[in-house]
Amino acid sequence: MNIVQKFKETASSVLPIMIIVFVLGLTGAPLERDLILRFLIGGVMLIIGLTIFLIGIDVSILPLGERCGSELTKKRNLPLLLTASFIIGFFVTAAEPDIQVLADQVRSVFPFVNKPLFIVMIAAGVGLFIMFGLLRTVMHLSLKIILAVSYLVIFFLAFMQPDGFVGIAFDSGGATTGPMTVPFIMALGVGVSAVRAKSAGGDTDSQSDSFGLTGMASAGPVLAVLLYGILLSEHAVTGAAAQVSASEISAVHGLGAFVQIFPTVAAEAAVSLVPVVILFVVFQLLMLHMPPHQVARIIIGLVYSYIGLVVFLVGVNGGFMAAGRRIGEILGARAVQDGGWWVVLLIGTGLLIGAVVVCAEPAVWVLTDQVESISGGTVKRKVLLVFLSAGTAAAIGLAMVRAIKGFNLMYILVPGYVTALILMIFSPKLFTAIAFDSGGVASGPISSTFVLSFALGASQAAGSNSDAFGVIALIAMTPLIAIQILGIVFNHRKGGSAQ
């Protein structure tokens, strides 16, 4: 394991945001010294916790996913593969730290939302669509058709409920594909597609089937949360938003904030990882039969994952999110009251955060490497980063405008996804699969923690917390368009046709 490399990856994701907040906290959006201190401590804990967590993932979750995918496919038992993939997707998603953070954010605005049920719905959605995704790989079904049908159903359900819950549903799709879920899903998909490619003689279609599983997994939670929203009354969703004031956010001072939340976080992290432990034990006894030294390695990795998850969540809840929410609240209040350059500062801060966030995400760098490799160097990673950075910046900028103006999220999502679906007709299917995978990759831990908190603060200042939800959805939507456009350009230069 490369601890230094993991530390550099997580630090590069978090430090730019910490610098922006520190500068704003001393200038345009002055923060209390205690809150700045808590933010800095929380940021350091987030870096350390995520580093330890990702090391645990590499040691335990990733090899476990590869082995499960490979062994299940070798059994050549389709019902077993589909059932096991649903269970794996469900359990791994339930342990995803980004989902825990999102659930807490939703509860802070809508107290009537049942957190365990909310997480169960999201996990079930992921499990179901991973099952569909692996069925697509085995049966060699069209990813474009499956995605088109899925999003048509999603938007049909979206128009059946209040706007306040639509944003939460689409945000859950972006937040699901976090540091635990993505490695496991990709490992599972690679394991299945590798066995299929070997049996198919290594054809190019099998290569493209290696992508798209993460994109499908992102659609499942959206559909599941929309169904959950239908179960809730419209009055509850639109009328029961909680108003969280700055005084409540900073009610506990200094290091006491971290100490106070530690027992609850430790218990929740244990509950999150228990399903993964059960999953490991069951698969080890029934199918994997790994030797003792490999079992010991998996156990050590799970311990790392637990420790990292606890440190990560304590840092996030102890000060990191509170500072983001308070800065959004200050800038949003000034933008509403004074207008003028305060509106420009709020939107400009959103644009800057968007550009920094996507460039700092380690998974985005992995993605750009893949695209550059697949295109034979025709599509440069720098060009792709510019497209993704501009798209994410625009997404968060639009979220800031919506936070203070309060327009319907569907005014952006509908034309955005219609554009993405139309582009599927012309884009090579390999790039379509990568594009939908990248939608989840672009919305990482920073989006689910700081960016959403920042949007919540700005929205609250304008008098409506529910308008903050949707920012992760916008971040997840822009790569669908950007990468497919690049795919069309690449295809045109090669003189080919989209399949």
Side-chain angles (χ1 to χ4, degrees):
M1 68 184 77
N2 192 337
I3 298 176
V4 175
Q5 181 62 31
K6 290 296 181 185
F7 182 81
K8 288 181 178 179
E9 289 177 356
T10 54
S12 66
S13 299
V14 180
L15 284 177
I17 300 297
M18 293 180 67
I19 293 172
I20 293 173
V21 171
F22 186 74
V23 172
L24 282 173
L26 296 177
T27 55
L31 299 177
E32 302 85 351
R33 290 184 181 181
D34 175 72
L35 190 54
I36 291 179
L37 177 62
R38 284 171 50 197
F39 171 77
L40 294 177
I41 294 174
V44 171
M45 293 183 70
L46 193 152
I47 293 173
I48 295 173
L50 196 55
T51 299
I52 298 173
F53 181 80
L54 290 175
I55 291 172
I57 292 295
D58 283 351
V59 173
S60 58
I61 302 299
L62 194 58
L64 184 60
E66 291 175 349
R67 284 179 173 271
C68 288
S70 179
E71 291 297 324
L72 286 169
T73 308
K74 289 178 182 178
K75 296 291 184 182
R76 299 191 180 280
N77 186 328
L78 186 58
L80 175 63
L81 173 64
L82 298 182
T83 302
S85 63
F86 174 84
I87 295 172
I88 290 171
F90 182 93
F91 282 174
V92 174
T93 303
E96 177 61 60
D98 287 357
I99 293 301
Q100 300 289 329
V101 173
L102 176 65
D104 287 333
Q105 296 274 39
V106 173
R107 283 274 300 163
S108 72
V109 176
F110 301 118
F112 57 85
V113 171
N114 184 293
K115 180 180 177 180
L117 180 58
F118 182 76
I119 293 175
V120 165
M121 292 293 291
I122 291 176
V126 173
L128 186 63
F129 271 69
I130 287 178
M131 186 175 70
F132 290 157
L134 293 182
L135 179 64
R136 174 193 75 87
T137 301
V138 173
M139 303 297 293
H140 193 37
L141 304 175
S142 171
L143 175 66
K144 294 182 178 183
I145 293 176
I146 294 174
L147 287 173
V149 172
S150 298
Y151 278 97
L152 286 174
V153 173
I154 283 172
F155 278 103
F156 174 76
L157 293 176
F159 281 107
M160 297 175 61
Q161 55 191 300
D163 176 57
F165 220 75
V166 170
I168 294 173
F170 277 89
D171 279 355
S172 69
T176 297
T177 46
M180 172 171 277
T181 310
V182 169
F184 205 102
I185 291 176
M186 291 184 67
L188 188 64
V190 167
V192 173
S193 61
V195 174
R196 183 191 175 278
K198 185 176 180 180
S199 63
D203 62 359
T204 56
D205 286 339
S206 297
Q207 180 191 28
S208 65
D209 286 340
S210 299
F211 299 96
L213 187 58
T214 304
M216 289 195 63
S218 298
V222 182
L223 184 61
V225 175
L226 287 174
L227 291 173
Y228 178 54
I230 292 176
L231 298 177
L232 300 173
S233 67
E234 180 172 344
H235 171 73
V237 174
T238 57
Q243 296 297 317
V244 182
S245 66
S247 60
E248 291 174 302
I249 295 174
S250 302
V252 182
H253 296 280
L255 297 178
F258 300 98
V259 175
Q260 186 182 61
I261 64 174
F262 176 80
T264 301
V265 168
E268 289 183 351
V271 171
S272 297
L273 284 176
V274 163
V276 180
V277 174
I278 296 174
L279 184 70
F280 163 63
V281 172
V282 171
F283 273 87
Q284 168 64 13
L285 294 176
L286 299 181
M287 186 174 59
L288 299 178
H289 307 298
M290 291 184 290
H293 73 277
Q294 291 183 350
V295 172
R297 184 177 175 84
I298 296 291
I299 294 173
I300 292 172
L302 290 172
V303 172
Y304 276 131
S305 298
Y306 174 73
I307 294 173
L309 184 57
V310 171
V311 176
F312 171 84
L313 291 176
V314 169
V316 164
N317 291 286
F320 198 75
M321 290 195 303
R325 191 160 184 164
R326 181 62 180 141
I327 282 186
E329 193 177 69
I330 293 172
L331 293 180
R334 296 300 298 268
V336 172
Q337 294 171 7
D338 302 329
W341 79 274
W342 286 103
V343 176
V344 175
L345 180 60
L346 175 65
I347 298 174
T349 301
L351 292 172
L352 179 60
I353 291 173
V356 169
V357 163
V358 73
C359 289
E361 286 288 355
V364 169
W365 288 89
V366 174
L367 174 70
T368 54
D369 273 337
Q370 288 179 330
V371 174
E372 189 172 51
S373 175
I374 291 169
S375 66
T378 304
V379 180
K380 301 296 184 183
R381 70 180 306 173
K382 291 183 179 179
V383 176
L384 184 59
L385 281 171
V386 168
F387 271 77
L388 290 175
S389 180
T392 306
I396 299 182
L398 282 171
M400 293 304 100
V401 175
R402 179 170 175 263
I404 58 177
K405 297 297 183 181
F407 57 83
N408 195 311
L409 179 64
M410 300 296 282
Y411 294 161
I412 306 176
L413 289 182
V414 170
Y417 274 94
V418 167
T419 301
L421 294 177
I422 292 175
L423 288 174
M424 288 198 305
I425 301 173
F426 307 100
S427 177
K429 63 181 180 180
L430 182 59
F431 278 85
T432 295
I434 294 173
F436 277 84
D437 278 353
S438 69
V441 167
S443 52
I446 301 300
S447 299
S448 301
T449 56
F450 181 83
V451 174
L452 181 54
S453 296
F454 178 69
L456 278 168
S459 179
Q460 178 185 319
S464 175
N465 277 324
S466 62
D467 286 332
F469 293 104
V471 61
I472 301 176
L474 296 177
I475 294 173
M477 182 186 71
T478 50
L480 311 185
I481 299 172
I483 293 180
Q484 287 195 105
I485 290 175
L486 287 178
I488 293 171
V489 172
F490 170 76
N491 199 56
H492 177 73
R493 288 182 178 181
K494 290 293 184 181
S497 58
Q499 298 180 358

